Amino acid sequence: MHNGVIAETRGESRKKRLKSAKRWQRLEQAYVIVTLLLFAQAFFPFFQAGQVDSVADGNALLQTIWKIIYGIAAVLIFVHRKRVLAVLARDKLSLVLLLMIVLSALWSAAPEITVRRSVAFVGTNLFAIYLASRFTLREQFQMVAWVLLSGALISAVVSVLMPDIGKMLYQGSSAWRGIFPHKNQLGRLMSLGAIVFFLLFMMKVWPRWLTVGGFGLSVMLLLLSESKTALIVLLLLLVCIPFLRTLRWSEYARILLWLPVGLAGICVSVLVLTYLEPILRYFGRDLTLTGRTGLWDIVSEMILQHPWLGYGYSGFWLGWEGESAYIWRVTFWEPPNSHNGFLDVTLDIGLIGLGLVLLSFLSRIRRTLPYQMSSQSWEHDWPMLFLFYLVLCNLTETTLLDHNSFFWTLFIALGFSLPKWRMAERRSHIRWYDLPAGRGEA
């Protein structure tokens, strides 16, 4: 009898601990979702209202919010320090890149700004490391889905009920921006959202009405944002999905599919190049990509002045107060960046830093391939699609090395989340007919 009472007491105690652990996990998930929403620049039009927001000094209210987020991340990293130490060895390149950015204050053209923003970059990376150590790739993927769904729903409501905020009327445009500072940011997020909800639809882990609704809402907001680049990125990623699925096939099956498709792709490319100008005109662009090519030429000239180490992290684009004043003067417009992520990386930390970033991409791709081929589950396509997405977006926009950035956070978290595959596993030949039908990871 006495032993039975003890066993029952222990059982109740175990249940209480499990409930408490689940409650804390939900709180952490809520913290991650809210933080990622803010990193995606959600609600910035509200935060910036009535606030002095200079290129060099930033926004005081937002800086306070970032400090709170970094502080919580630091506490959670201490709480889960064993897990954090366990994942740090998975992505040493990101740690080297982080060190280089901090040290770039030594040669920066604006050392005080580099110090301040490198601290923000460290905080962003700490949050990404915490995210990777605390949650699996599957859990991260689903939290990203909640972030994008929340952003889409609130953006739709704000754009309809508060058009002065939700639309870019102040620039003489009817394009929607929702709760984000610019229509292009809404477009970028919704193109990614469409991909995420397509994968969730195929995974069958969420209700069909929710995934179909999320996909439809994402596409609708993407079109209303009038972001042509984001639309092209979405179309390219949708085309990539069938090819990623074929990576699980045998070599002969892939050749039988890829050879005719490759030949068709060459023919289409020739037609596109032949009629490039009218095609670009249809999308509201020209051969200069709305002045970007001329900007890239001048940026390349500035890179050649400090080729190896650059101008220091965030040490170049400081408006009329920094080295960017020359570009503003000769181009007769005031771009906030190079409109190319890889050029901006080179401006910040030179060709050495660009090499580290490119190696980080290659390292992730090398580790993503065996991860993707290890299962038929659609969620295993997410890492590769996100990497493709990031490359495509940074051809005409800048999201690489951004502090307090939704995209860079996911990139860093991916590096610390992907498992290290042994050589035998990496070289193993996985045939499509040997794989079981995927229904999602447990």
Side-chain angles (χ1 to χ4, degrees), residues 277-289:
E277 190 169 358
I279 291 172
L280 288 172
R281 197 183 307 120
Y282 174 78
F283 284 100
R285 298 289 186 267
D286 53 33
L287 291 175
T288 67
L289 298 179

Side-chain angles (χ1 to χ4, degrees), residues 46-65:
F46 298 95
F47 293 140
Q48 292 168 341
Q51 290 283 321
V52 177
D53 192 4
S54 70
V55 175
D57 297 330
N59 183 291
L61 176 59
L62 284 172
Q63 287 172 356
T64 301
I65 292 173

